């Protein structure tokens, strides 16, 4: 059996400048953030050199879509 990769997911550093991980981005969304601007404001991602901007936006978009389309338990 293949392990559940999403739950066993190790954190990936997305923003080197601010040491922000993909896990932190997802947790912030699960706590109510719904836009990249909110993530940027709360975590500081993409506020220095900007090289992480596209990756961070992609993570935010995917996570927000999962939140919207996942039934509440």
């Amino acid at each position: 059996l293949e392990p559940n990769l999403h739950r066993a997911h190790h954190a990936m550093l997305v923003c080197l400048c601010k040491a922000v991980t993909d896990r932190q981005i997802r947790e912030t969304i699960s706590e109510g953030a719904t836009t990249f601007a909110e993530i940027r404001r709360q975590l500081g991602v993409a506020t220095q050199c900007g090289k992480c901007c596209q990756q961070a936006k992609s993570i935010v978009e995917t996570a927000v879509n999962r939140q919207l389309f996942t039934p509440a338990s």
Side-chain angles (χ1 to χ4, degrees):
L1 293 173
E2 192 172 310
N4 184 337
L5 297 177
H6 181 67
R7 293 185 191 264
H9 176 71
H10 296 285
M12 175 182 70
L13 201 55
V14 175
C15 178
L16 297 176
C17 298
K18 296 290 187 170
V20 177
T21 67
D22 62 328
R23 183 175 290 158
Q24 288 173 288
I25 293 171
R26 288 185 184 96
E27 286 173 359
T28 303
I29 290 167
S30 73
E31 292 167 359
T34 58
T35 66
F36 177 72
E38 288 177 274
I39 297 299
R40 186 176 182 170
R41 189 170 39 257
Q42 290 183 41
L43 300 178
V45 66
T47 59
Q48 293 289 313
C49 77
K51 290 184 179 182
C52 63
C53 192
Q54 290 304 314
Q55 181 67 34
K57 282 182 179 180
S58 176
I59 292 167
V60 170
E61 182 180 336
T62 300
V64 167
N65 285 337
R66 280 198 179 126
Q67 288 283 105
L68 292 174
F69 297 108
T70 302
S73 32

